[in-house]
């Protein structure tokens, strides 16, 4: 259950900006209460020895009822506000260290979405790349997975569309707030995904796209997914960054052999532990099934 | 079924190999970074040291994926996710012990294999009844499960978490000289691990070797954070470099570490330290 008072306290804490957001998430989760962190009653492990970080006067003036009003307003607009303190917070995401403390959701996340896989790649995709992305999305849908992507042009769009066409679930993880659409040409797709599945954002609803929002979004997308599949991406692509983040999360990264043949970054990533190179879409589901739902270990 | 290698592999990205014990600026007991004035860090130098050798698999800060995993495998409410984290940690333990149990065993004076494996109980007696570390060591990890025994429980003695007091833990068996591999998830100050090692000795154990997943580094304290950040970013599972005990001189880096250490012990340290170094010997892991 979402606790409105705690959600408001968390929002006030994030706005105050004492620490990086993922550290706030860790602290709030550890305390089991955002209000306790906001009041200074609970501090971080390495802050215990330096408690005078913020003066008592700074802590005072937070109008929590007003913040509660804002949350109600967002909810009236059809946005669900989920914090790390809520049971509804996605469990895959909870298992990564730099998870966002707060998520805004249009549509609905369901229990089955724990079986999520991110399919990512370049905005300027080739026809062949888009076809591959669509085929992988279809295959993952048939294997009972939810397809995550970033709602960008190119590979992202092909992945979302592939899952929708196959009658599966797809989730868009935005690099903007939920009130925005980027690119504008995908506003309709965003609506469609929100109506059928879920659109997720870790940003305030009016947040415009910036240089830092997309990398932060990639952290969230990797965290929500059991694995990240990179279809087609140059070395400057955000997809490459997501591959790196997924490895830092200890989540498998799947690279298409066509990508590895074309790009030096991908062939160097292919040698890193935790990276798998595949040639056929239907190899992916078995691999992820084995790694993410292992029952036991063998030497 | 997933293999040990497959499940442990992704951890290479965020595990950090410890520096050799007693290398310049490294505590010879717990491998914490020091300013080099003393052979040990302050806590290790000012309390009882019952463990015969200590080996962390990795350093970890109060941030980052390893720290998070070491908290989440106990706290995570979703059983599927919790189970996966436990399997992964078991795979990491399995892979590490396959190669390095003999290194820790020799360093502790227990030979190449410990007789019994046990874990440090939780400081909370109620929580300890369901401690997932026991499931990792006693059920999931191949090298330890057949030798696992629950030897210790938290006693009713009131004591500070950081203090080393053997009576914090009550042994359940008479150990009559058996060597024990004592496993814990994290080493903060070593208070509970050293206390548990003490309790094993009280129960009559032979050599006690300690293995912890994460040796916590307080990044906010002096230059600890910078020194943690300066470590190689890719974990190395290979014998010599994975923990660079001077035992493992088969690999180049091990040899360098051994040379540095002998230089310190012979040229620059009181003779009592040279004696303690000789215990590590110069043997190969393989």
């Amino acid at each position: 259950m979402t606790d409105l008072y705690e959600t408001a306290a968390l929002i006030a804490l994030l706005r105050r900006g004492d620490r990086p957001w993922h550290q706030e998430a860790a602290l709030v989760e550890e305390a089991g209460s955002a209000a306790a962190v906001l009041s200074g009653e609970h501090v971080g492990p390495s802050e215990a020895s330096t408690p005078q970080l913020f003066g008592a006067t700074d802590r005072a003036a937070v109008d929590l009822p007003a913040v509660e009003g804002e949350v109600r307003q967002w909810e009236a607009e059809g946005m669900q506000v989920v914090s790390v303190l809520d049971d509804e917070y996605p469990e895959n995401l909870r298992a990564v260290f730099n998870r966002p403390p707060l998520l805004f959701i249009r549509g609905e996340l369901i229990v089955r979405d724990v079986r999520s896989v991110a399919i990512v790649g370049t905005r300027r995709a080739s026809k062949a790349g888009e076809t591959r992305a669509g085929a992988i999305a279809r295959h993952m849908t048939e294997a009972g997975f939810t397809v995550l992507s970033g709602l960008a042009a190119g590979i992202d769009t092909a992945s979302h569309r592939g899952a929708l066409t196959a009658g599966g679930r797809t989730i868009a993880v935005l690099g903007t707030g939920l009130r925005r659409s980027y690119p504008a040409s995908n506003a309709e797709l965003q609506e469609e995904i929100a109506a059928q599945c879920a659109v997720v954002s870790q940003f305030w609803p009016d947040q415009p796209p910036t240089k830092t929002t997309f990398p932060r979004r990639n952290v969230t997308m990797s965290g929500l997914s059991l694995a990240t599949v990179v279809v087609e991406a140059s070395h400057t692509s955000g997809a490459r960054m997501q591959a790196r983040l997924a490895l830092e999360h200890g989540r498998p990264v799947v690279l298409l052999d066509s990508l590895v043949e074309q790009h030096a970054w991908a062939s160097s990533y292919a040698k890193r532990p935790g990276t798998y190179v595949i040639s056929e879409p239907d190899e992916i589901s078995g691999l992820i099934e084995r790694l993410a739902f292992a029952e036991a270990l063998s030497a | 079924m997933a293999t040990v290698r497959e499940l442990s592999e992704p951890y290479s990205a965020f595990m950090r190999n410890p520096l050799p014990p007693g290398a310049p600026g490294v505590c010879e007991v717990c491998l914490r970074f020091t300013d080099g004035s003393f052979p040990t860090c302050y806590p290790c130098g000012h309390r009882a040291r019952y463990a015969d050798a200590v080996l962390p698999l990795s350093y970890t800060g109060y941030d980052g994926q390893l720290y998070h995993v070491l908290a989440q495998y106990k706290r995570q409410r979703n059983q599927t996710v919790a189970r996966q984290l436990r399997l992964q940690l078991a795979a990491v333990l399995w892979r590490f012990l396959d190669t390095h149990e003999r290194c820790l065993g020799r360093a502790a004076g227990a030979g190449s294999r410990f007789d019994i494996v046990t874990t440090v109980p939780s400081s909370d007696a109620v929580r300890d009844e369901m401690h997932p570390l026991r499931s990792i060591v006693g059920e999931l990890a191949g090298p330890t499960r057949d030798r696992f025994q629950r030897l210790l429980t938290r006693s009713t003695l009131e004591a500070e978490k950081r203090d080393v007091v053997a009576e914090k833990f009550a042994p359940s068996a008479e150990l009559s000289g058996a060597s024990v591999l004592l496993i814990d998830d994290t080493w903060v100050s070593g208070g509970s691990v050293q206390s548990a090692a003490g309790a094993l000795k009280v129960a009559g154990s032979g050599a006690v070797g300690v293995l912890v997943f994460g040796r916590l580094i307080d990044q906010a304290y002096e230059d600890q954070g910078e020194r943690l950040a300066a470590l190689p970013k890719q974990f190395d599972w290979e014998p010599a470099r994975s923990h660079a005990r001077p035992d493992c001189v088969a690999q180049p880096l091990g040899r360098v570490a051994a040379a540095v250490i002998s230089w310190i012990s012979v040229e620059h340290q009181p003779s009592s330290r040279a004696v303690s170094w000789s215990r590590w010997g110069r043997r190969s892991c393989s």
Side-chain angles (χ1 to χ4, degrees):
Chain A
M1 257 312 287
T2 303
D3 180 333
L4 185 58
Y5 176 76
E6 280 293 339
T7 304
L10 177 57
I11 290 168
L13 187 65
L14 297 176
R15 284 180 176 157
R16 198 167 69 191
D18 299 344
R19 310 172 185 85
W21 278 27
H22 72 277
Q23 283 180 19
E24 299 284 17
L27 210 51
V28 162
E29 216 182 10
E30 189 183 280
S33 160
V37 180
L38 185 69
S39 70
E41 187 187 310
H42 187 92
V43 295
S46 50
E47 291 161 17
S49 46
T50 51
Q52 291 312 315
L53 215 52
F54 315 99
T57 48
D58 302 342
R59 298 199 175 286
V62 180
D63 184 358
L64 284 185
V67 182
E68 287 181 15
E70 278 181 84
V71 176
R72 279 201 207 90
Q73 176 59 41
W74 290 331
E75 285 173 348
E77 251 182 78
M79 292 184 249
Q80 214 186 320
V81 187
V82 175
S83 88
V84 274
L85 292 171
D86 299 326
D87 293 338
E88 293 86 347
Y89 192 88
E91 297 299 343
N92 285 341
L93 190 55
R94 203 187 282 285
V96 302
F97 78 98
N98 45 2
R99 63 217 177 286
L102 209 57
L103 286 180
F104 296 86
I105 302 165
R106 256 194 223 284
E108 204 184 350
L109 293 179
I110 62 174
V111 175
R112 222 189 72 191
D113 292 332
V114 78
R115 290 172 60 87
S116 280
V117 169
I119 305 178
V120 295
T122 178
R123 288 152 212 242
R124 291 181 295 274
S126 67
K127 265 271 157 282
E130 289 183 2
T131 306
R132 280 190 201 105
I136 294 168
R138 208 162 40 246
H139 161 70
M140 294 315 289
T141 298
E142 283 157 10
F145 286 91
T146 299
V147 171
L148 263 67
S149 202
L151 203 77
I155 297 298
D156 287 15
T157 300
S159 306
H160 289 304
R161 285 274 176 225
L164 287 173
T165 309
R169 283 188 61 82
T170 187
I171 296 170
V173 188
L174 303 190
T176 68
L178 283 183
R179 285 180 183 148
R180 303 215 168 212
S181 289
Y182 185 86
S185 56
N186 266 349
E188 206 174 297
L189 179 60
Q190 185 171 338
E191 281 306 312
E192 199 178 331
I193 294 172
Q196 293 186 31
C197 310
V199 177
V200 176
S201 167
Q202 75 219 73
F203 304 106
W204 305 120
D206 288 316
Q207 173 71 48
T210 72
K211 243 187 272 173
T212 65
T213 57
F214 291 104
R216 286 165 71 195
R217 179 277 308 272
N218 288 339
V219 169
T220 304
M221 204 197 312
S222 163
L224 284 164
S225 315
L226 297 171
T228 287
V229 182
V230 186
V231 178
E232 191 178 66
S234 72
H235 77 285
T236 55
S237 167
R240 177 197 180 195
M241 171 179 294
Q242 185 162 328
R244 178 173 64 77
L245 294 167
L247 291 178
E248 282 172 13
H249 290 157
R251 303 270 166 92
V253 169
V254 180
L255 306 175
L256 262 61
D257 60 356
S258 52
L259 175 78
V260 174
E261 282 158 20
Q262 278 170 30
H263 294 284
W265 79 262
S267 60
S268 115
Y269 262 62
K271 295 183 196 97
R272 295 198 189 181
T275 307
Y276 299 82
V277 179
I278 58 110
S279 52
E280 296 298 326
D282 55 10
E283 293 170 39
I284 303 176
S285 61
L287 174 72
I288 294 169
E289 206 81 56
R290 195 174 74 241
L291 298 178
F293 299 103
E295 284 301 318
L297 287 169
S298 68
Chain B
M1 206 186 288
T3 66
V4 165
R5 202 182 163 85
E6 278 175 334
L7 285 199
S8 60
E9 201 72 340
Y11 278 58
S12 311
F14 48 79
M15 281 172 60
R16 297 287 176 265
N17 293 113
L19 294 169
V26 178
C27 172
E28 70 173 9
V29 176
C30 72
L31 312 190
R32 183 182 178 220
F33 312 131
T34 68
D35 66 9
S37 320
F38 299 96
T40 68
C41 65
Y42 186 87
C44 288
H46 288 77
R47 293 172 319 186
R49 286 182 242 162
Y50 292 112
D52 295 293
V54 178
L55 182 55
L57 274 79
S58 171
Y59 289 119
T60 171
Y62 281 104
D63 201 351
Q65 189 62 22
L66 185 60
Y67 179 71
H68 191 59
V69 167
L70 292 176
Q72 288 283 315
Y73 89 96
K74 295 187 277 197
R75 228 194 273 155
Q76 173 69 254
R77 282 169 297 182
N78 180 299
Q79 283 314 301
T80 314
V81 179
R83 169 96 184 156
Q84 282 311 306
L85 294 177
R86 288 166 201 173
L87 273 173
Q88 290 165 3
L89 287 173
V92 167
L93 180 67
W94 189 326
R95 185 168 173 186
F96 192 83
L97 281 177
D98 261 356
T99 324
H100 299 296
E101 178 175 353
R102 72 194 94 175
C103 313
L104 180 59
R106 285 171 191 161
S112 59
R113 188 179 151 90
F114 290 91
D115 298 320
I116 304 175
V117 182
T118 196
T119 55
V120 177
S122 167
S123 56
D124 180 312
V126 178
R127 242 184 301 155
D128 193 52
E129 284 316 301
M130 300 276 291
H131 204 308
L133 183 60
R134 284 205 304 277
S135 134
I136 291 172
V137 177
E139 293 162 28
L140 300 175
T144 53
R145 60 189 167 208
D146 297 336
R147 282 176 287 165
F148 177 78
Q149 284 182 42
R150 187 179 177 185
L151 294 176
L152 303 170
T153 49
R154 182 74 171 89
S155 73
T156 51
L157 181 85
E158 301 261 340
E160 285 293 322
K161 219 172 173 173
R162 284 164 177 264
D163 289 348
V164 176
V165 187
E167 293 73 24
K168 268 188 194 174
F169 299 102
S172 61
E174 167 55 46
L175 295 172
S176 26
S179 62
V180 182
L181 171 58
L182 176 63
I183 298 178
D184 203 359
D185 48 26
T186 42
W187 177 294
V188 184
S189 69
S192 55
V193 184
Q194 290 285 19
S195 300
L200 294 172
K201 293 276 168 95
V202 169
S205 79
V208 174
V210 167
L211 187 73
V212 296
F213 283 93
R215 200 286 169 233
L216 258 168
I217 299 294
D218 183 353
Q219 293 134 298
Y221 184 74
E222 291 177 353
D223 62 351
Q224 301 278 314
E226 290 146 48
R227 294 171 71 178
L228 181 63
L231 295 173
K233 299 280 180 279
Q234 197 79 41
F235 190 75
D236 193 336
W237 298 87
E238 290 310 306
R241 284 165 293 175
S242 75
H243 52 73
R245 289 277 177 196
D247 306 52
C248 307
V249 288
Q251 303 287 326
L253 197 72
R255 231 173 271 132
V256 171
V260 169
I261 286 163
S262 70
W263 175 75
I264 301 167
S265 56
V266 174
E267 307 280 335
H268 295 270
Q269 299 293 326
S271 57
S272 63
R273 282 200 72 200
V275 171
S276 84
W277 290 124
S278 66
R279 205 181 65 207
W280 295 104
R282 257 174 165 276
R283 277 157 307 195
S284 157
C285 257
S286 41

